[in-house]
Structure formats: C-alpha cells, structure tokens
Amino acid sequence: MHKLTDIQLLRLGTTLHHIKKANPFYWSRYDTDSITSYEDLAKLPFITKDILRTGYPFAFACAEPKHCMRMHMSSGTTGKPIINPMTENDVNQWGEMVARCYTAAGVTSEDIVQITPSFGLFNGGFGFHYGAEKLKSFIIPMGAGRSLLQLQFIKDLETTCLCAIASYPLRLIEVAKQEHFSFKDTKLKVGIFGAETWTDGMRKRIEKEMGIESFDIIGMTETGGVGLGIDCKEHDGIHVWDDNYIVEIVDPETGEPLPDGTEGEMVLTTLAREGLPLIRYRTRDITKIISREPCKCGLHTVKVARLKGRTDDMLKVKGVNFYPAQIESILMDFTEIGVEYRIILDKKKGKGDVTLAVETNGISDENRDRLETKLYDFLGFRVDVQYLKPGTLERSAGKAVRVVDNR
Ligand code: ZN
C-alpha cells in the first residue's frame, strides 16, 4: 500500500474535522477523526451517489446556504438530483484546479478560450470559465449549441482553445463539412474535452480533422466539478491534483482496495472542499493507477488511465461483459465508418442480440468482413451490423447517446 503525503494527511484531518463541526448527521457515519495512514482511511465507509441522493437537498451539506455562493447539480437520469452547494473557497478551489488543467494543456493568458458546455446546473461551462478567468485568458462564454455561430467565432475571433463535452467536437466537424468550413483556416490549436468516455480512436479523428492537440479533462459535480485532473502533453495518463483529492482504486464488487496497475472503480476523497466534502466517494468510473513517479512534463502527481467507462455503462450480453467504448475503439479503426453510432440491444431475434448501427459513405465487402470478424473476436458472438447513410442517426444536443436498450 502506498503512503499518504503530509499535505494529504493534514488536509484529510481538516476535512474530517470540518464535517464533525458542521454536520452531526453526516458525521454520524464516522467514528474517528484521527487518520494517520492510508490503512486508516481505507477503514472508513464509502459514500455513494445513492446515499447522497437520500440526502436531497442539503442533508450532507457542510455549509449553510447563506455561506454559499452557488450550487451545481449532478445530471442523473433517475431519482433525486445531487446538489453541491459551493462556498466562496469552493468556487476558488475549483477555479484553481481548472487553471492548473489549462496550464497542463499549455493554455496561457494569451489564449482565446471558447467554452461550449452549458452554463447552468451542469458544472461544465462555469468550471471552464473560472479556470480561464484565473489565467486571465480571453473568454468566449458560448454555452451549448449554436454550432454555426460557434464555427463563425472560432474563425472570426481567432479562438485558440476549445472547451467541450467530448462528443461535441464531432458535431462541429460535421457542421463544418456541410458549411465547407475549414479548421485549417483558423487559429485553433488546443481542445480540452471531457464529461464522457471517448476513445483514443475518436481522439485521433478529432485531432486530425480540427488540426489540434486534445486534452482529456475529468471531474464531476459531486467532487467539485470538472478539472480534478487532465492528461498532459505526454498523453500517457491523467494527472489528478492529489494535493486536493486522494485517489483510490477499489474492486467494484467487493470494495476492496486494489494495487496500482489493476483496473477498478475510482474512489475519491476531497481534501479542500467545504460545501460538500466527500470521504471515499464511489465515482463508478473505471480506471487504474498508472504511475506515482514524476512525469516528463514536470508534474509530480498520481496518474490514472483514461476512463474506460462507468460501472453502470457496462453491458452484459450472452454472458459477455463489455463497455461501449470498447466497441467504439474497434469502429474507429475503420476510416470509412462515421463517428455517430448506436449499440442496440434487442430481445432474441434470429441473428443476434446486438445490432450495431453505423454510418458510412460506402465500405468494401472486404472491410465489412474485417469489421465483423473483429467484433466477433472481441465479443465471441455475431453482431448484426447495419450500414446507414451519413446523417441517418439522430444527433444529440448534450451528452452522446451510444446505447439503445430495448430489452
Ligand atoms: Zn505529465
């Protein structure tokens, strides 16, 4: 087991003391505020989305609304939402984390930053905003949608850094093609994308089409928003700001801590949050710890692998467990196949239980065979692949829809 650093131990003690002082109900989950090692931490109970939901709206809050400046809300599709009330210090901490992310991506005060996630209950827009404000970059606070205007501003206002939900660049690329808009004629050089799983194959396509270097940013409303980590110019893992967050990887079934290098569920402890401090929060994101050594980029933090998916995204068909991202990785090896696709799960129906709808302008019989064989090799059963004309599948305005479950 690894050791907690001095700053982690100090801030963990402060965080526990803060919960104890601020919220007896929340504190009743714990029976110690004397944590002196990682082993002590690992004895504390997890906190989950479901537990936080039962506390809607403010049962777990550790600051009164009058001491808070704002809230954000998790975008859960079922049940009660999770609200994160943020104090002034929280908003500052958030901005600081995102500013570090921009810096890791090479963004400075000289840059023109176009922010395309929405400004609202979803944390994305504001997170990118606070970080860019700290850097004193020039901010274009676009919010979601309006793709034509987004493109116009990228060109006319000479945007250098584009911030987006990971599937949105695909939409922009599509609109650009329809409008005969060329990213080559722009100053765009950096893309910072997150909030969804996106594969290396997708990443290569976006970078090639837009002529940019892209960075994978992670974070969630519950832990204080986007920006708890980002990959650096080495692109071999995601730095997590471990003076502000403790990362653990646990077995999603048993909750047992896993050694570095083993894939499991990421568990986060916040070290500098006031409104909603979290001890051992189960994120449901699947990843592993890649390194704790100093990185060639100069940063010295723990590094995790790019997120593979969420525990609740895992699909089970014919006894085979897989993530949508694994299917996407296979698809993106075929340049004839577009970036919009659907994994459709049906009740038993002749050929198979899974239909994969993809878009293509045309694909040779040989490559069809190659694709279907690759899918078979991965899944162990045949998939019914439907080849549709580009533009057939419905485009989503927010997060991408990849799976349709009709079972
Ligand atoms: Zn690095």
Side-chain angles (χ1 to χ4, degrees), residues 1 4 24 34 50-52 63 70 74 81 99 101 154 170 174 177 184 200 251 258 268 272 291 397:
M1 283 297 165
L4 296 179
S34 153
D50 291 340
I51 293 171
L52 289 175
R70 185 168 311 103
S74 73
C101 292
I154 287 173
L170 304 172
E174 209 164 55
K177 279 189 179 148
K184 286 199 185 77
D200 289 339
D251 183 318
L258 294 171
L268 292 168
S291 156

Tab-separated table of all heavy atoms in Angstrom, residues 1 4 24 34 50-52 63 70 74 81 99 101 154 170 174 177 184 200 251 258 268 272 291 397:
chain	number	residue	atom	x	y	z
A	1	MET	N	0.833	-1.210	0.000
A	1	MET	CA	0.000	0.000	0.000
A	1	MET	C	0.867	1.259	0.000
A	1	MET	O	1.905	1.283	0.652
A	1	MET	CB	-0.894	0.026	1.250
A	1	MET	CG	-2.081	-0.916	1.139
A	1	MET	SD	-3.182	-0.461	-0.198
A	1	MET	CE	-4.137	-1.966	-0.340
A	4	LEU	N	0.104	8.085	2.329
A	4	LEU	CA	-0.463	9.409	2.093
A	4	LEU	C	0.629	10.435	2.354
A	4	LEU	O	1.456	10.264	3.248
A	4	LEU	CB	-1.651	9.652	3.020
A	4	LEU	CG	-2.859	8.731	2.800
A	4	LEU	CD1	-3.961	9.050	3.805
A	4	LEU	CD2	-3.401	8.861	1.383
A	24	PRO	N	-23.611	17.130	12.211
A	24	PRO	CA	-23.656	15.929	13.072
A	24	PRO	C	-24.276	14.722	12.361
A	24	PRO	O	-23.823	13.594	12.564
A	24	PRO	CB	-24.542	16.359	14.248
A	24	PRO	CG	-24.520	17.838	14.230
A	24	PRO	CD	-24.310	18.268	12.810
A	34	SER	N	-9.101	10.727	13.656
A	34	SER	CA	-7.657	10.570	13.760
A	34	SER	C	-7.185	9.574	12.706
A	34	SER	O	-7.177	8.365	12.923
A	34	SER	CB	-7.320	10.093	15.177
A	34	SER	OG	-6.123	9.368	15.166
A	50	ASP	N	-26.123	7.032	-4.375
A	50	ASP	CA	-27.428	6.714	-3.795
A	50	ASP	C	-27.573	7.300	-2.392
A	50	ASP	O	-28.625	7.819	-2.037
A	50	ASP	CB	-27.658	5.196	-3.773
A	50	ASP	CG	-27.846	4.653	-5.181
A	50	ASP	OD1	-28.180	5.454	-6.086
A	50	ASP	OD2	-27.643	3.443	-5.389
A	51	ILE	N	-26.482	7.228	-1.623
A	51	ILE	CA	-26.540	7.809	-0.272
A	51	ILE	C	-26.712	9.324	-0.367
A	51	ILE	O	-27.542	9.908	0.332
A	51	ILE	CB	-25.260	7.454	0.535
A	51	ILE	CG1	-25.216	5.953	0.809
A	51	ILE	CG2	-25.201	8.245	1.834
A	51	ILE	CD1	-23.903	5.458	1.412
A	52	LEU	N	-25.961	9.949	-1.285
A	52	LEU	CA	-26.077	11.407	-1.424
A	52	LEU	C	-27.492	11.798	-1.859
A	52	LEU	O	-28.036	12.805	-1.404
A	52	LEU	CB	-25.050	11.943	-2.423
A	52	LEU	CG	-23.590	11.928	-1.947
A	52	LEU	CD1	-22.654	12.365	-3.064
A	52	LEU	CD2	-23.396	12.824	-0.722
A	63	ALA	N	-22.007	23.446	4.769
A	63	ALA	CA	-22.028	24.905	4.857
A	63	ALA	C	-23.482	25.311	4.680
A	63	ALA	O	-24.208	24.704	3.901
A	63	ALA	CB	-21.162	25.527	3.767
A	70	ARG	N	-23.042	29.489	-4.697
A	70	ARG	CA	-23.719	28.896	-5.846
A	70	ARG	C	-23.889	27.410	-5.609
A	70	ARG	O	-23.277	26.833	-4.709
A	70	ARG	CB	-22.908	29.091	-7.122
A	70	ARG	CG	-23.645	28.583	-8.335
A	70	ARG	CD	-23.045	28.995	-9.650
A	70	ARG	NE	-22.766	30.411	-9.700
A	70	ARG	CZ	-21.584	30.924	-9.575
A	70	ARG	NH1	-20.542	30.151	-9.428
A	70	ARG	NH2	-21.407	32.212	-9.611
A	74	SER	N	-25.863	17.312	-10.128
A	74	SER	CA	-25.444	16.202	-10.984
A	74	SER	C	-26.573	15.871	-11.943
A	74	SER	O	-27.741	16.003	-11.614
A	74	SER	CB	-25.098	14.982	-10.143
A	74	SER	OG	-26.290	14.420	-9.644
A	81	PRO	N	-31.904	14.536	-7.673
A	81	PRO	CA	-30.570	15.033	-8.049
A	81	PRO	C	-29.660	15.185	-6.834
A	81	PRO	O	-30.131	15.193	-5.696
A	81	PRO	CB	-30.875	16.397	-8.661
A	81	PRO	CG	-32.174	16.814	-8.078
A	81	PRO	CD	-32.945	15.562	-7.750
A	99	ALA	N	-7.609	25.969	-13.655
A	99	ALA	CA	-6.475	26.755	-14.156
A	99	ALA	C	-5.243	25.857	-14.313
A	99	ALA	O	-4.502	25.942	-15.293
A	99	ALA	CB	-6.171	27.915	-13.208
A	101	CYS	N	-5.351	22.747	-14.974
A	101	CYS	CA	-5.614	21.906	-16.154
A	101	CYS	C	-5.261	22.655	-17.434
A	101	CYS	O	-4.603	22.112	-18.326
A	101	CYS	CB	-7.074	21.466	-16.197
A	101	CYS	SG	-7.525	20.309	-14.883
A	154	ILE	N	-15.007	30.815	-33.874
A	154	ILE	CA	-13.679	30.177	-33.911
A	154	ILE	C	-12.823	30.884	-34.958
A	154	ILE	O	-11.652	31.192	-34.736
A	154	ILE	CB	-13.799	28.666	-34.224
A	154	ILE	CG1	-14.351	27.919	-33.008
A	154	ILE	CG2	-12.444	28.081	-34.641
A	154	ILE	CD1	-14.674	26.452	-33.253
A	170	LEU	N	-17.290	16.442	-32.509
A	170	LEU	CA	-17.746	15.632	-33.646
A	170	LEU	C	-18.879	16.343	-34.374
A	170	LEU	O	-18.944	16.365	-35.598
A	170	LEU	CB	-18.225	14.259	-33.162
A	170	LEU	CG	-17.203	13.467	-32.351
A	170	LEU	CD1	-17.842	12.227	-31.751
A	170	LEU	CD2	-16.015	13.094	-33.225
A	174	GLU	N	-18.878	17.885	-38.203
A	174	GLU	CA	-19.936	17.553	-39.149
A	174	GLU	C	-20.534	18.822	-39.775
A	174	GLU	O	-20.690	18.929	-40.994
A	174	GLU	CB	-21.022	16.785	-38.402
A	174	GLU	CG	-21.787	15.816	-39.240
A	174	GLU	CD	-22.552	14.838	-38.359
A	174	GLU	OE1	-23.339	15.284	-37.501
A	174	GLU	OE2	-22.342	13.630	-38.519
A	177	LYS	N	-18.210	20.475	-42.203
A	177	LYS	CA	-18.177	19.836	-43.527
A	177	LYS	C	-19.336	20.319	-44.384
A	177	LYS	O	-19.151	20.656	-45.552
A	177	LYS	CB	-18.211	18.314	-43.377
A	177	LYS	CG	-16.833	17.778	-43.067
A	177	LYS	CD	-16.744	16.273	-43.116
A	177	LYS	CE	-15.296	15.869	-42.815
A	177	LYS	NZ	-15.222	14.584	-42.126
A	184	LYS	N	-8.441	24.451	-40.969
A	184	LYS	CA	-7.079	24.868	-41.336
A	184	LYS	C	-6.961	26.384	-41.395
A	184	LYS	O	-5.886	26.948	-41.190
A	184	LYS	CB	-6.694	24.279	-42.695
A	184	LYS	CG	-6.402	22.799	-42.637
A	184	LYS	CD	-5.595	22.365	-43.872
A	184	LYS	CE	-5.406	20.864	-43.886
A	184	LYS	NZ	-6.649	20.165	-44.333
A	200	ASP	N	-9.275	6.567	-27.722
A	200	ASP	CA	-8.103	7.095	-28.434
A	200	ASP	C	-8.384	7.218	-29.933
A	200	ASP	O	-7.900	8.141	-30.583
A	200	ASP	CB	-6.894	6.186	-28.216
A	200	ASP	CG	-6.360	6.293	-26.786
A	200	ASP	OD1	-6.643	7.313	-26.122
A	200	ASP	OD2	-5.685	5.352	-26.333
A	251	ASP	N	-12.104	-2.673	-5.971
A	251	ASP	CA	-12.879	-3.675	-6.697
A	251	ASP	C	-14.351	-3.242	-6.666
A	251	ASP	O	-14.916	-3.066	-5.582
A	251	ASP	CB	-12.693	-5.025	-5.987
A	251	ASP	CG	-13.402	-6.159	-6.709
A	251	ASP	OD1	-14.555	-5.936	-7.159
A	251	ASP	OD2	-12.834	-7.250	-6.805
A	258	LEU	N	-7.481	-1.980	-4.510
A	258	LEU	CA	-6.699	-2.744	-5.478
A	258	LEU	C	-5.313	-2.131	-5.623
A	258	LEU	O	-5.143	-0.920	-5.459
A	258	LEU	CB	-7.403	-2.737	-6.841
A	258	LEU	CG	-8.752	-3.466	-6.892
A	258	LEU	CD1	-9.459	-3.206	-8.212
A	258	LEU	CD2	-8.541	-4.961	-6.686
A	268	LEU	N	-12.809	8.706	-4.663
A	268	LEU	CA	-12.152	9.988	-4.415
A	268	LEU	C	-12.497	10.534	-3.037
A	268	LEU	O	-13.647	10.446	-2.600
A	268	LEU	CB	-12.586	11.017	-5.468
A	268	LEU	CG	-12.115	10.768	-6.895
A	268	LEU	CD1	-12.859	11.684	-7.860
A	268	LEU	CD2	-10.614	10.989	-7.019
A	272	ALA	N	-10.090	19.638	0.009
A	272	ALA	CA	-10.161	21.099	0.137
A	272	ALA	C	-11.557	21.623	-0.198
A	272	ALA	O	-11.707	22.747	-0.644
A	272	ALA	CB	-9.112	21.750	-0.772
A	291	SER	N	0.791	5.575	-12.587
A	291	SER	CA	2.108	5.983	-12.103
A	291	SER	C	1.990	6.937	-10.922
A	291	SER	O	1.013	7.688	-10.807
A	291	SER	CB	2.868	6.662	-13.258
A	291	SER	OG	3.851	7.541	-12.756
A	397	ALA	N	-28.085	16.783	-28.519
A	397	ALA	CA	-27.604	18.142	-28.245
A	397	ALA	C	-26.634	18.155	-27.065
A	397	ALA	O	-25.735	18.973	-26.996
A	397	ALA	CB	-28.782	19.056	-27.962
